[in-house]
């Protein structure tokens, strides 16, 4: 066992875990953050997607040791207090989830996309979401929700922009 200091959702934690413990198990079993799901264990399904320094990564395939000194964000850290992230609201508005198992990973991958491309095309969305599998097949609703969240986020940005004086 070794001790690792990691930052998850803005909070610092000291974890005494095995050197090769996957981040997924530390999040779920040690920290109790169960929003991140185990799907395949080989980084192929996307259910375990989290952000590491704002990059979408599969937490089943990276170790706790590999994220020391970086910022990890899980689905639990996506909302701003009680204010849902626009993607979370769009998921509700578009009634995306059926079984819901893959949805945290889907949302985290979509959030990483919108950080990089605030106005994604269908092609951008398809490329960013490849490897996030939904056994219920809600891909069309997922795409619609991502477009809806992008519109909402862009509208918030425009409304928050100070007036330009010429």
């Amino acid at each position: 066992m070794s001790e690792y200091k990691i930052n998850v959702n803005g909070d610092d934690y000291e974890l005494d875990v095995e050197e090769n413990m996957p981040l997924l198990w530390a999040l779920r079993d040690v920290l109790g953050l169960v929003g991140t799901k185990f799907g395949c264990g080989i980084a192929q399904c996307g259910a375990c997607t989290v952000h590491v320094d704002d990059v979408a990564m599969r937490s089943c395939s990276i170790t706790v040791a590999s994220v020391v000194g970086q910022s990890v964000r899980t689905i639990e850290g996506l909302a701003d207090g009680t204010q849902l992230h626009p993607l979370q609201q769009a998921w509700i508005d578009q009634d995306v989830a059926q079984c819901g198992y893959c949805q945290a990973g889907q949302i985290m991958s979509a959030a990483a996309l919108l950080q990089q491309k605030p106005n994604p095309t269908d092609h951008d969305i398809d490329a960013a979401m490849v490897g996030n599998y939904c056994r219920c097949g809600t891909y069309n609703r997922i795409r619609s929700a991502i477009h809806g969240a992008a519109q909402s986020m862009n509208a918030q940005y425009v409304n928050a922009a100070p007036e330009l004086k010429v």
Side-chain angles (χ1 to χ4, degrees), residues 73-127:
R73 184 165 52 165
T74 68
I75 190 73
E76 290 91 347
L78 197 58
D80 184 12
T82 59
Q83 179 66 40
L84 293 178
H85 185 280
L87 276 166
Q88 293 168 311
Q89 187 60 55
W91 243 248
I92 293 167
D93 294 345
Q94 294 288 329
D95 197 23
V96 171
Q98 283 187 12
C99 82
Y101 198 81
C102 69
Q103 298 309 304
Q106 299 276 2
I107 291 170
M108 295 306 288
S109 290
L113 166 65
L114 292 179
Q115 284 180 331
Q116 296 295 314
K117 295 189 175 193
N119 294 302
T121 64
D122 284 348
H123 176 75
D124 295 332
I125 292 170
D126 292 346

Side-chain angles (χ1 to χ4, degrees), residues 4-75:
Y4 300 98
K5 294 179 182 178
I6 65 171
N7 182 284
V8 180
N9 298 330
D11 295 322
D12 293 323
Y13 296 93
E14 291 185 19
L15 305 180
D16 191 21
V17 299
E18 295 292 331
E19 179 180 351
N20 61 350
M21 176 181 259
L23 178 60
L24 171 65
W25 298 123
L27 294 171
R28 291 183 59 78
D29 296 347
V30 178
L31 298 179
L33 299 171
V34 297
T36 304
K37 304 296 186 208
F38 173 78
C40 66
I42 57 172
Q44 296 298 303
C45 74
C48 68
T49 303
V50 298
H51 294 176
V52 178
D53 283 347
D54 295 325
V55 175
M57 299 186 80
R58 307 299 197 245
S59 63
C60 72
S61 65
I62 57 175
T63 64
V64 172
S66 71
V67 299
V68 170
Q70 299 178 77
S71 174
V72 176
R73 184 165 52 165
T74 68
I75 190 73

